[in-house]
Amino acid sequence: MKKQRAVSSTKSVVSVAAKGREVGCKVFSITTNDQSELANVSHEVLVIPAATKNRLEHETKSVQPLSSLFDQCVHVLCDAVCLDFSLTESISHELTYSKHSNVE
């Protein structure tokens, strides 16, 4: 029997989400676990049941190491959303790049 690993959350992400909510921001999260700390501080949660490094029972099985499957699924999803928005709003790569920022 495979031992169930503890559910972990990236503390810095949870902290930023909680602070955002505290100051009035609407918090949306993408996670594998709708019972996670991050999900609990979010207004809306999108669950992607792909494998993470924790390999929890509810996650899709994967041969990829660590959290590659979840990471890839999130990247493809976010790229599709951004592409759809840019096409719908006629936003160019140059304009998008000029407004890009990194909150880290």
Side-chain angles (χ1 to χ4, degrees), residues 20-66:
R21 187 176 180 128
E22 182 182 307
V23 299
C25 295
K26 188 112 175 171
V27 178
F28 296 85
S29 64
I30 303 172
T31 180
T32 64
N33 183 359
D34 64 357
Q35 301 301 309
S36 67
E37 290 179 67
L38 177 60
N40 290 333
V41 299
S42 300
H43 291 92
E44 299 289 337
V45 178
L46 175 62
V47 175
I48 298 179
T52 65
K53 63 185 175 214
N54 297 313
R55 297 299 200 259
L56 302 175
E57 285 185 26
H58 71 278
E59 297 174 355
T60 302
K61 303 296 182 234
S62 175
V63 297
Q64 292 178 299
L66 299 173

Side-chain angles (χ1 to χ4, degrees), residues 1 7 42-43 63 83-84:
M1 176 194 272
V7 177
S42 300
H43 291 92
V63 297
L83 178 59
D84 182 65

